[in-house]
């Protein structure tokens, strides 16, 4: 089943049985040969003569497959398919849509392991994390299936027996543009609320991680959505621009960097199209002296080293009150050095490979710049070569903890997007809150303290300027809770009930029960 659905072949001469393929997928064993574009109900090859792009397996550095970017003709076909499917889907009741979405969630649950394995092969994160990402995708679809039948408006009584009411209506064809750090999860996070509200979608994954979004398209199709409801087009900047400018696209939702988000917002503005932008962050994590230090250390590790540090909400500016700085740093360094790095498909691995060679080089250059600016490397920050020969060309590095950092250093100001923790000290609460908010971004923030009620009251007056604030935990993202940023970290929200508002439009209807009162 895995070979048929994913279209890969094993590199060794004797392929294992089908059941063994599911159990024994290993790094360096997979070639993907089937098309990764999908519209109007099936996978599609590019019809235009375009140069194919290499897609790499981060764990080994070898070529995994070749990407066929979509041009204008393919984008137009995908959008037309989505527009065609929008009609029947938008006319279904919420309960009808919910039944199909629940079936899609069930199929994801059944195929959890194979999806997670392919996510690892294409992205480089550990299999343990990939399983959780697949679970999050499933839960998101289940959650919005539950909301699909609750979409309702408001009734307003007017004088003379007349009345008005509002109703939520779908937007039409929505575009989702994903990032490479959570390929399958982001595809679900964007499509689930869109579909629940009655929209259709064309989704463009990152060209670095194109493999698993098409699996979601096949799952939706098998679950029974109208042909063309969820489509996948591959490509980079050109393909994204074609989608944003397309006259039949009614909304764009993007996850990625601030500069790209700004360009997408500008392109969408030409058609006055609503956008959801989930952009970068440089989030603060504040450790007060009264915190439970064991939990604070674990929180700091979760805030910096999930997915090899490639998480937009990471709390990479770790402010520690001077009274506990030495103890905190000692324990953080000890546990960071103990993180198991290596083959991401092994159960024992806790840190896999970064997503690409250029990105690895960029992250390592941040460490070098930090040293030049006066930061001290307490551990890590170096290229790592696993003992397994087939992994020698993979994109690995040792997780890094920097001390003696100051607010004006590049490592503290700029988003590194890698396993690099910058530790800073502070003395007073007023001081640290001011420093924590001194950034153009505001995706997340965290606080560790035992004085929860006291700090909560304080935060009501001197609020941390971030879209998601964690108290005594970090980087938890239940799908029932909205996720998004303040300032340059984005516009709109993903997950939670409020996201329905970003995938629908409000219509007001007036009903006159008497005669028209005219001035003419």
């Amino acid at each position: 089943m895995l070979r048929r659905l994913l279209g890969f072949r094993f590199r060794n001469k004797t392929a294992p049985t089908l059941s063994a393929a599911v159990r024994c997928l290993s790094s360096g064993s997979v070639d993907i040969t089937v098309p990764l574009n999908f519209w109007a109900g099936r996978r599609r090859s590019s019809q235009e003569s375009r140069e194919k792009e290499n897609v790499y397996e981060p764990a080994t550095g070898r070529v995994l497959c070749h990407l066929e970017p979509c041009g204008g003709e393919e984008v137009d076909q995908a959008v037309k398919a989505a527009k065609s499917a929008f009609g029947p889907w938008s006319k279904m009741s919420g309960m009808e849509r919910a039944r199909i979405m629940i079936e899609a969630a069930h199929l994801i649950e059944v195929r959890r392991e194979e999806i997670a394995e392919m996510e690892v092969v294409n992205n480089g994160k550990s299999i343990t994390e990939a399983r959780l990402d697949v679970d999050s995708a499933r839960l998101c679809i289940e959650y919005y299936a539950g909301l699909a039948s609750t979409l309702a408006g408001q009734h307003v009584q007017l004088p003379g027996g007349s009345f008005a009411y509002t109703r939520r209506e779908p937007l039409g064809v929505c575009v989702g543009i994903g990032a490479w750090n959570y390929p399958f999860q982001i595809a679900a996070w964007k499509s689930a609320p869109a579909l629940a509200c009655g929209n259709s979608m064309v989704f463009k994954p990152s060209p670095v991680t194109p493999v698993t979004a098409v699996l979601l398209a096949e799952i939706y199709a098998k679950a029974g959505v109208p042909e063309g409801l969820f489509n996948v087009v591959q490509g980079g900047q050109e393909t994204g621009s074609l989608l944003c400018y397309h006259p039949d696209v009614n909304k764009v939702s993007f996850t990625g960097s601030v500069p790209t988000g700004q360009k997408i917002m500008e392109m969408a503005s030409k058609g006055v199209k609503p956008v959801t932008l989930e952009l970068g962050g440089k989030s603060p994590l504040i450790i007060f002296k009264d915190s439970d230090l064991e939990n604070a250390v674990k929180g700091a590790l979760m805030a910096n080293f999930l997915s090899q540090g490639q998480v937009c909400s990471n709390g990479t500016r770790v402010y520690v009150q001077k009274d506990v700085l030495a103890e905190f740093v000692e324990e953080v360094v000890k546990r960071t050095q103990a993180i198991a790095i290596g083959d991401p498909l092994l159960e024992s691995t806790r840190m896999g490979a970064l997503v690409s060679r250029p990105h690895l080089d960029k992250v390592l250059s941040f460490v070098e710049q930090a040293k030049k600016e006066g930061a001290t490397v307490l551990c890590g920050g170096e290229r790592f070569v696993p003992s397994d020969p087939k992994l020698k060309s993979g994109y690995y590095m040792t997780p890094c903890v920097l001390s003696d950092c100051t607010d004006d250093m590049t490592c503290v100001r700029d988003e590194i997007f890698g396993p690099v923790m910058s530790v800073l000290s502070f003395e007073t609460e007023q001081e640290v809150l001011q420093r924590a908010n001194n950034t153009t971004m505001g995706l997340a923030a965290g606080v560790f303290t035992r004085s929860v009620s006291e700090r909560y009251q304080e935060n009501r007056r001197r609020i941390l300027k971030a879209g998601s604030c964690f108290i005594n935990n970090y980087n938890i993202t239940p799908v029932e809770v909205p996720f998004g940023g303040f300032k340059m970290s984005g516009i709109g929200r993903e997950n939670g009930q409020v996201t329905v508002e970003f995938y629908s439009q409000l219509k007001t209807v007036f009903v006159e029960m008497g005669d028209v009162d005219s001035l003419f």
Side-chain angles (χ1 to χ4, degrees):
M1 176 185 290
L2 186 61
R3 190 181 316 169
R4 176 176 60 82
L5 293 174
L6 301 182
F8 71 73
R9 65 176 184 270
F10 284 87
R11 293 177 69 83
N12 50 317
K13 295 180 180 178
T14 305
T17 63
L18 240 47
S19 59
V22 175
R23 294 194 308 269
C24 300
L25 191 63
S26 60
S27 295
S29 68
V30 178
D31 289 317
I32 297 172
T33 58
V34 293
L36 297 175
N37 296 304
F38 186 104
W39 60 81
R42 64 183 178 87
R43 293 183 185 245
R44 307 275 178 166
S45 295
S46 176
Q47 298 172 347
E48 300 180 26
S49 178
R50 289 175 172 270
E51 185 176 346
K52 294 183 179 181
E53 301 173 10
N54 290 339
V55 177
Y56 297 91
E57 179 181 19
T60 63
R62 53 177 284 273
V63 175
L64 177 65
C65 61
H66 301 283
L67 182 74
E68 295 181 298
C70 287
E73 184 177 345
E74 289 98 346
V75 166
D76 192 53
Q77 289 178 8
V79 173
K80 284 181 179 177
K83 187 175 181 180
S84 177
F86 169 71
W89 182 253
S90 62
K91 290 181 174 63
M92 288 183 183
S93 69
M95 285 295 290
E96 289 174 314
R97 293 198 294 268
R99 280 196 291 269
I100 295 174
M101 292 178 69
I102 288 293
E103 176 61 18
H106 171 69
L107 292 172
I108 291 173
E109 186 173 27
V110 170
R111 298 176 57 182
R112 178 186 190 235
E113 193 66 15
E114 63 181 88
I115 296 169
E117 286 179 347
M118 289 310 300
E119 194 81 325
V120 171
V121 168
N122 195 195
N123 170 273
K125 67 176 61 183
S126 73
I127 185 65
T128 302
E129 287 194 43
R131 291 188 187 113
L132 297 177
D133 295 351
V134 176
D135 290 343
S136 176
R138 171 182 58 81
L139 290 169
C140 185
I141 294 171
E142 288 179 351
Y143 175 74
Y144 284 106
L147 288 184
S149 63
T150 69
L151 305 182
Q154 180 184 16
H155 181 276
V156 179
Q157 191 64 48
L158 300 175
S162 298
F163 62 92
Y165 64 90
T166 61
R167 53 174 287 157
R168 289 229 158 256
E169 296 188 350
L171 298 168
V173 177
C174 299
V175 161
I177 301 178
W180 47 253
N181 56 341
Y182 288 90
F184 189 81
Q185 177 181 291
I186 289 175
W189 278 21
K190 293 189 184 301
S191 62
L195 270 54
C197 291
N199 302 289
S200 57
M201 177 165 276
V202 179
F203 185 81
K204 190 195 81 66
S206 164
V208 179
T209 53
V211 174
T212 52
V214 71
L215 300 183
L216 182 60
E218 291 180 325
I219 285 169
Y220 277 135
K222 188 173 181 180
V225 303
E227 191 175 274
L229 190 73
F230 181 80
N231 311 275
V232 176
V233 295
Q234 305 287 354
Q237 182 177 343
E238 180 184 349
T239 306
S241 298
L242 290 167
L243 288 167
C244 291
Y245 283 127
H246 199 288
D248 289 332
V249 166
N250 303 101
K251 186 225 166 58
V252 180
S253 177
F254 168 75
T255 297
S257 70
V258 173
T260 304
Q262 291 172 320
K263 292 176 183 176
I264 285 174
M265 191 173 183
E266 181 181 357
M267 288 186 286
S269 71
K270 304 300 181 184
V272 197
K273 299 172 184 179
V275 295
T276 294
L277 303 175
E278 198 277 278
L279 307 178
K282 192 64 183 177
S283 302
L285 175 60
I286 303 171
I287 313 296
F288 286 100
K289 63 183 179 182
D290 69 341
S291 65
D292 181 320
L293 206 60
E294 169 71 13
N295 278 327
V297 168
K298 290 192 293 186
L301 297 176
M302 291 292 286
N304 281 270
F305 300 139
L306 280 177
S307 294
Q308 298 75 251
Q310 300 166 146
V311 182
C312 53
S313 59
N314 270 358
T316 54
R317 294 185 292 142
V318 182
Y319 292 94
V320 186
Q321 206 154 20
K322 279 189 175 180
D323 308 65
V324 294
L325 177 63
E327 185 181 359
F328 174 86
V329 166
E330 180 182 1
E331 191 62 26
V332 160
V333 169
K334 182 175 73 174
R335 298 197 189 190
T336 300
Q337 290 174 323
I339 293 174
I341 313 167
D343 190 337
L345 280 169
L346 295 181
E347 298 292 342
S348 59
T349 296
R350 286 296 172 267
M351 182 171 289
L354 275 72
V355 76
S356 70
R357 173 70 65 185
H359 186 64
L360 171 62
D361 293 340
K362 179 182 176 182
V363 173
L364 291 172
S365 72
F366 270 106
V367 177
E368 291 303 310
Q369 181 65 26
K371 289 192 287 187
K372 291 177 183 178
E373 294 179 8
T376 301
V377 177
L378 298 180
C379 66
E382 299 175 330
R383 198 179 302 273
F384 179 81
V385 180
S387 58
D388 187 338
K390 73 173 181 288
L391 306 178
K392 66 179 182 180
S393 297
Y395 315 137
Y396 302 92
M397 70 172 285
T398 51
C400 179
V401 178
L402 299 173
S403 69
D404 301 319
C405 297
T406 58
D407 292 320
D408 59 344
M409 289 181 176
T410 304
C411 63
V412 177
R413 294 195 325 267
D414 295 354
E415 185 176 33
I416 298 175
F417 222 63
V420 181
M421 178 193 302
S422 299
V423 180
L424 306 95
S425 65
F426 74 93
E427 294 186 359
T428 69
E429 181 169 337
Q430 182 177 1
E431 167 211 341
V432 76
L433 288 174
Q434 182 178 2
R435 293 168 65 191
N437 287 329
N438 187 23
T439 172
T440 59
M441 293 181 278
L443 189 54
V447 173
F448 275 83
T449 176
R450 283 193 174 97
S451 306
V452 174
S453 58
E454 177 186 339
R455 303 294 182 207
Y456 178 75
Q457 295 299 329
E458 184 71 14
N459 284 342
R460 291 205 298 183
R461 296 191 296 273
R462 244 186 328 216
I463 193 167
L464 285 166
K465 295 179 175 62
S468 295
C469 293
F470 303 94
I471 299 177
N472 294 332
N473 209 331
Y474 206 91
N475 267 343
I476 52 172
T477 53
V479 297
E480 305 94 326
V481 179
F483 179 78
F486 288 3
K487 298 187 280 188
M488 292 186 73
S489 287
I491 295 173
R493 291 295 180 269
E494 293 187 307
N495 293 341
Q497 188 171 352
V498 70
T499 300
V500 165
E501 297 178 14
F502 299 106
Y503 283 97
S504 61
Q505 52 196 345
L506 195 65
K507 175 179 285 185
T508 302
V509 180
F510 295 89
V511 180
E512 177 61 60
M513 300 303 291
D515 295 328
V516 174
D517 187 9
S518 175
L519 295 177
F520 306 100

